[in-house]
Amino acid sequence: FDKVNLIVGYLNDLDNTPEKNSVEVATEIKAIKDLDITLGLITQDQNLETIFDVFASYKMKKWLFAGELLVADKQVDNGLMLMTNFEINDKLSVTARYDFVSYESTVLADDTSSLTIAGLFDIMKNLSANAEIRFNDDGNQAGATDRKSVV
């Protein structure tokens, strides 16, 4: 491995509950050139309880590919994110991202998914613009199925 970072955190006051504490442990691994992998674990006394997360990204010339898998104890059964970005030139790039969440909750009974398409433009140093459209499929909200939103 080229590089390994260990991240440890003690978190307090998640979800406005100061008497509950959480611990975060993560390892960021640069396995080979242009491939980054992060493995993380967060314990919580509320909300999702224990969360295990795996994130990976790979850069190949003008392409960036990324994926993430999240597994939790409560409410969320698992989540998945797949993303790709293509750099058209040094100022303009486009991104496509797919998200999926499977719930383990009596309140949120239906799985949700979305597809996001975005254009990113670097106007000048430290100033960028982003335009995106998102297609949602969320049976947990009335009227949300096949809803489109533009940001």
Side-chain angles (χ1 to χ4, degrees), residues 8-37:
V8 178
Y10 180 73
L11 312 171
N12 186 326
D13 197 17
L14 294 176
D15 196 33
N16 295 317
T17 314
E19 67 276 5
K20 304 288 185 178
N21 299 302
S22 299
V23 175
E24 172 189 17
V25 178
T27 302
E28 180 184 29
I29 303 165
K30 187 161 185 68
I32 58 173
K33 184 182 179 202
D34 299 324
L35 176 63
D36 293 319
I37 301 169

Side-chain angles (χ1 to χ4, degrees), residues 3-4 8 10 15 18 22 26-27 32-33 39 43-44 53 60 76 88 93 99 101 103 124 149:
K3 181 179 173 184
V4 175
V8 178
Y10 180 73
D15 196 33
S22 299
T27 302
I32 58 173
K33 184 182 179 202
L39 306 171
T43 64
Q44 296 183 64
D53 187 63
M60 181 177 65
V76 172
I88 297 169
S93 67
D99 297 288
V101 178
Y103 293 97
M124 64 174 59
S149 60

Side-chain angles (χ1 to χ4, degrees), residues 57-141:
S57 66
Y58 180 71
K59 180 114 172 99
M60 181 177 65
K61 297 183 182 180
K62 293 186 174 218
W63 287 97
L64 172 67
F65 301 96
E68 183 172 24
L69 177 64
L70 177 138
V71 179
D73 281 348
K74 290 189 177 177
Q75 293 181 10
V76 172
D77 187 30
N78 58 60
L80 172 72
M81 182 276 298
L82 300 171
M83 187 272 301
T84 187
N85 176 274
F86 180 74
E87 182 182 308
I88 297 169
N89 58 42
D90 63 340
K91 295 276 188 189
L92 183 65
S93 67
V94 292
T95 298
R97 184 181 73 235
Y98 174 76
D99 297 288
F100 175 82
V101 178
S102 176
Y103 293 97
E104 187 180 284
S105 167
T106 56
V107 177
L108 302 169
D110 293 332
D111 297 340
T112 62
S113 63
S114 66
L115 175 65
T116 304
I117 312 264
L120 300 99
F121 181 69
D122 289 333
I123 299 168
M124 64 174 59
K125 185 178 180 180
N126 299 323
L127 181 61
S128 300
N130 177 32
E132 69 179 45
I133 185 167
R134 182 174 178 150
F135 303 92
N136 292 317
D137 185 3
D138 184 355
N140 295 308
Q141 296 179 1

Side-chain angles (χ1 to χ4, degrees), residues 42 44-51 70-76:
I42 298 175
Q44 296 183 64
D45 289 331
Q46 71 279 355
N47 291 336
L48 304 178
E49 296 286 332
T50 301
I51 303 168
L70 177 138
V71 179
D73 281 348
K74 290 189 177 177
Q75 293 181 10
V76 172

